[in-house]
Amino acid sequence: MTGCETWDTSPRVYSLSSPVSSKSAFLSYKGDVFVRLKYCPPEGAHQEMGGVLYCLVKAASNLCSVGSGRIPDPFCKTVLWPNQTGDKQKTAIIKKTSNPEWNHISMHEGMTEKKLREGSPALTIWHHELMTSNVFLGGVRLNVGTGYSYGHAVHFMDGTGPEVECWQTLLDMPNKWREWALSLRPGMD
């Protein structure tokens, strides 16, 4: 007996996923950003002063090429929404790499739990252009994903999936560094 006699040769129907959705997922992939976050709430009598949010932008990987296949000169901008003066940070520009390492830490003082629940850091990665506007490569928004800030519908509270999980973990477990690898969004509308 060869074993072929026990094979089931009857026809089977298999469901296939749409090739359009997998193609669009592939086309929308812009790379990943690696961040470490820590929130240190205020202690004792200093509650009204707020705590400190630390954001370490470690690196990015698999960034897309720009123009006609050029390797990017990437940098990362961090902005806290709702936008406040002094809440913008920028890493150094790393020349000709799709896998930059920045290890840039930003420190945001005066942060209360309410500000963290109602606000959102946006990390956007750009290709540096000397003579024209910089080119957007991708970004993430870290927040609770409610769509609202201080009772108003806003565009920047649109965190999804891992972005919300990352931010909620920060809120639930203060005083501890947490590291995340987040996929970059293709747009930040």
Side-chain angles (χ1 to χ4, degrees):
M1 184 168 182
T2 64
C4 294
E5 294 82 12
T6 61
W7 287 4
D8 181 4
T9 58
S10 59
R12 296 181 190 200
V13 177
Y14 295 97
S15 298
L16 299 176
S17 62
S18 168
V20 174
S21 64
S22 62
K23 184 179 179 183
S24 64
F26 174 75
L27 292 176
S28 67
Y29 178 72
K30 297 296 183 182
D32 300 297
V33 65
F34 301 90
V35 296
R36 291 188 77 200
L37 301 167
K38 178 178 166 182
Y39 172 60
C40 296
E43 296 180 9
H46 303 287
Q47 297 293 320
E48 70 282 347
M49 294 175 61
V52 180
L53 171 64
Y54 296 94
C55 180
L56 172 62
V57 181
K58 292 183 71 173
S61 66
N62 303 316
L63 297 177
C64 295
S65 58
V66 291
S68 55
R70 293 182 301 146
I71 298 172
D73 296 335
F75 67 94
C76 181
K77 288 196 293 190
T78 304
V79 177
L80 285 183
W81 291 91
N83 202 358
Q84 300 173 357
T85 305
D87 283 340
K88 296 178 186 178
Q89 300 274 334
K90 184 177 139 180
T91 68
I93 298 164
I94 308 296
K95 297 283 187 180
K96 300 202 182 312
T97 181
S98 294
N99 300 295
E101 291 186 23
W102 294 293
N103 291 311
H104 176 86
I105 191 163
S106 59
M107 186 173 87
H108 305 277
E109 296 178 320
M111 299 303 293
T112 63
E113 187 174 332
K114 174 125 176 109
K115 283 184 181 178
L116 293 175
R117 289 196 182 282
E118 300 291 335
S120 176
L123 285 69
T124 53
I125 299 179
W126 300 81
H127 163 68
H128 177 70
E129 284 285 352
L130 289 174
M131 305 303 273
T132 61
S133 297
N134 295 324
V135 177
F136 177 78
L137 298 176
V140 296
R141 277 200 197 103
L142 308 175
N143 57 65
V144 293
T146 62
Y148 289 87
S149 176
Y150 297 102
H152 295 84
V154 292
H155 73 283
F156 59 83
M157 292 296 283
D158 63 346
T160 60
E163 296 170 337
V164 173
E165 180 184 350
C166 169
W167 200 241
Q168 193 61 54
T169 301
L170 174 86
L171 293 169
D172 293 343
M173 298 181 185
N175 295 313
K176 294 182 181 176
W177 283 102
R178 298 287 181 207
E179 188 163 328
W180 295 89
L182 300 164
S183 291
L184 297 170
R185 298 176 179 200
M188 297 286 283
D189 299 331

